[in-house]
Amino acid sequence: MRANTLDARAAAKGAAAGRRPSDWRLYAMLAAPAIIVFIFSYIPIGGVLIAFQNYSPDKGVLGSEFVGLKWFRVFFAMPDSARIVANTVAIAVGKIACSQLASVVFALLLNEVRGAAYKRSLQTITYFPHFLSWVIIGTVFIDMLSTRGLVNQILGAFGTAPKFFLGDPRLFQPTAVLLETWKEFGWGAIMYLAAISNISPDLYEAATIDGAGRLKQALHVTLPGIRGIALMLAVLALGGILNAGFEQILVLYNPSVYETGDIVDTFIYRYGLLDAQFSMSAAIGLFKSLIGLALMLAANWAAARFSDYRVL
Amino acid sequence: MKDNSMSSRIFDAFNCAFLAFLALLCFMPMVHVMALSLSDSVSANTNAVLFLPKGANFEAYKMVFGNPKFLRAFGVSVFRTAVGTGANLLLTILAAYPLSKEANQLRGRTLIVGYFIIPMMISGGLIPMFILISKIGLMDSIWALILPGACNVGYVIMMMNFFRGINKSLLESAVIDGANEFVILFRIVLPMSMASVATIALFCVVAHWNEWFGGTIYLNARDLWPLQTLLKTMMVQLDLTGMRPDEIARIKLLSDRSFRAAQVMFATVPILFVYPFAQKYFIKGVTLGSVKE
């Protein structure tokens, strides 16, 4: 009797779902988000037209004269362009490699800690910097890394001559990479710790029976257990290879380190907004966006192929 | 898994010590700043302060709190964080709920998903956005900091995945009882999703509180600057071309380090308040955001 009622209810549900395939209210809900996305995402995408124009704010996007690929040629003919792209790639790759590696090592070591409370507090403290803005971190570290700041005081105690971390072109890139790693390694470890907690305890048990000590367990059970996610994150990060961290660089750099510290985004910012070279900056922006898109699609394909993960 | 051999214990000791050192590394810069902010400016400017205040006083904080510029910027930050987070949540929920339906309930779902995903892959970039903001009259308006990012597609996808985890039969029963989709969303789905909403809300709060770049390009009127933008413009403007390190050090000395440190604390303490009770949500957000569709 009861089963029959349930069946009838299920049938009614099916009918209800079938009768009203698309409630208009669902579309009504989508209207506001769709409009916001149209205005603030699609119109700017259309705005890249100015990359092919001599854009003048008075004539507008529709009235300005078309000049084809002129601005792309101008940018690539600039002596700075190769250096800027090289800086961007160097900083981005350094950050990806360094912070991923630090996150993996940190997750592996944290996994070996036996006290749950100690483990949790360590995690809480190490991902705190993730929640600070680059303005705050920049203000703190420009002071700490200055020639008379805290870091040089400590290095001085070991007899090292003061280093000018943010003013020396040779030191700027490593400093930017290390600061990014400092800020993000704890946060990045969350993914790995989640993956580690998904590894079946049976595997560890079997390894113990086979006589594997902790080191062997870490190397042959834990590490393979997070290999998939590490590969996926690394591959996906490749899509961002022209994103070297605009806000960080903008906060930390200064004219004396443009040689190694200037990246595509800061260049666009200076030429585009400070010097009002709208068309050329839009062209560089488009170049960056297209490279990013191509890399991201390739990365997605690779991630799906090698780690059965789909992002889209 | 328990291994109590000597080598294992030695490893534990080193491991715990090393991790403690890492944690200190993450934490000590803020302790240093706090010590500076509480020290008298002579000690601060002569590098006498490490991790404990020297000549403890609240002068620097009095300067911050006595300055209407900082209080106003704090107010602007609170406003944009509250309104911006509200707008973000509303639009995220309104987009995520219909998209959590199957294609037979929302005709054209694939197309609509595509419409929302494309902007994640390609963007107009800084310059077209800047031109847009100036053309539609949002320059010098606080809405220039709120509207452009109000529908974050990443959050929409996260939220959609949360909604998909809800038991379908519950929603179907509501349909039979005559509830329309608005009623279902706001009376049934949302109350069941408060933990997820809280997760996204916290991400929005932190993002809005920390964002500063928008203010520097869209707002010329200093009265409208949020706190982080104000602090950015007050950072030491290092133009060090052709200067010797000792000259630069002297310039650094001229700025009042304890005052600057107090400004940093002023902008960071709200995050410190949110942080402890928010942690579990943050972790949840990271791990659930990666759920496969």
Side-chain angles (χ1 to χ4, degrees), chain B residues 23 32 56 63 70-71 73 83 92 112 162 171 203 211 240 264 268:
Chain B
H32 177 59
M63 277 166 81
F70 288 106
L71 297 180
V83 176
T92 302
I112 301 172
F162 290 142
L171 308 185
F203 279 112
E211 202 280 332
L240 310 167
V264 167
T268 309

Side-chain angles (χ1 to χ4, degrees), chain A residues 21 27 34 42 124 133 143 214, chain B residues 8 105 107 115 228 257 275:
Chain A
Y27 296 100
Y42 280 94
T124 306
S133 77
D143 183 278
R214 289 171 72 189
Chain B
S8 175
Q105 287 166 292
R107 226 172 263 153
Y115 174 85
Q228 303 271 348
R257 291 169 88 190
Y275 191 64

